[in-house]
Amino acid sequence: AKPYELVIIGGGPAGVSAAMQAALASRRCIIVDKPKVPPIESGLDISFAGPTGLWSKALRDTAKTVDVRTLRSMGISDSNIWSQIRDSCIDLATQNAKYQLKRLDLYKVDYLQATADLSVQGEVSCTLPDGTVTRLQTDNVLIATGSRPRRVPSVPFDDERVFEIGR
């Protein structure tokens, strides 16, 4: 296979932006990204290329359309309300991920859901979710793996009202 001019490890905002810039400069590139959440049935990682604070932005957007007080006055239980809010946030994240993948396709940027290993010079070894390994030849690697949220001990991360995606 023809070597890539750039392999980008990380599919967040910085990795996608770098891929777009490389594509605009007519460079053959690929994004290798380990899914941050388990992919949905179609294989889509709904957190792919999400902006910084994707989930808080989705929650803010959902808050504009879901009136909790009105739903409670209608006798709808809190668990059903929070389920609706969670589903709305997931829908927004899914729309974003699909849009970003369409952009990559338009710019002819390849995308691979895998874990990258840089132990061999000039090669990125990629372990796919099914365990198979793909080797990508390249002389240029950009590592854009982002950061992780900090857990505050006094905050109850119960996945009911307080969520942390990607841990």
Side-chain angles (χ1 to χ4, degrees), residues 20 31 48 100-109:
M20 296 298 172
I31 294 176
F48 175 74
Q100 297 296 343
L101 287 172
K102 281 183 186 177
R103 284 182 61 215
L104 290 180
D105 189 47
L106 180 67
Y107 281 77
K108 296 181 174 47
V109 173

Side-chain angles (χ1 to χ4, degrees), residues 14 24 76 83 91 116 126 150:
L24 287 170
I76 298 175
S83 177
D91 288 344
C126 304
R150 180 172 174 237

Side-chain angles (χ1 to χ4, degrees), residues 6-156:
L6 176 63
V7 173
I8 300 160
I9 301 172
V16 171
S17 180
M20 296 298 172
Q21 290 298 316
L24 287 170
S26 300
R27 303 291 183 235
R28 183 168 187 261
C29 65
I30 185 170
I31 294 176
V32 178
D33 187 51
K34 178 181 175 182
K36 288 156 265 325
V37 296
I40 59 176
E41 288 176 18
S42 67
L44 177 68
D45 170 12
I46 63 171
S47 64
F48 175 74
T52 304
L54 167 70
W55 301 104
S56 61
K57 288 174 182 162
L59 186 59
R60 182 193 66 216
D61 198 58
T62 298
K64 294 176 186 175
T65 60
V66 176
D67 185 349
V68 174
R69 201 172 314 168
T70 301
L71 293 173
R72 282 184 177 150
S73 73
M74 295 169 52
I76 298 175
S77 71
D78 278 354
S79 63
N80 285 338
I81 293 169
W82 287 109
S83 177
Q84 180 181 351
I85 291 169
R86 183 178 38 240
D87 290 349
S88 179
C89 291
I90 289 170
D91 288 344
L92 288 167
T94 301
Q95 289 171 21
N96 177 71
K98 286 179 179 179
Y99 170 74
Q100 297 296 343
L101 287 172
K102 281 183 186 177
R103 284 182 61 215
L104 290 180
D105 189 47
L106 180 67
Y107 281 77
K108 296 181 174 47
V109 173
D110 292 334
Y111 166 64
L112 186 62
Q113 277 186 10
T115 303
D117 180 333
L118 298 170
S119 6
V120 177
Q121 186 174 351
E123 176 181 284
V124 179
S125 177
C126 304
T127 305
L128 281 64
D130 67 2
T132 60
V133 176
T134 298
R135 299 182 195 305
L136 307 173
Q137 303 302 314
T138 189
D139 289 329
N140 302 295
V141 176
L142 174 69
I143 300 174
T145 54
S147 61
R148 292 183 188 229
R150 180 172 174 237
R151 276 195 174 207
V152 179
S154 61
V155 176

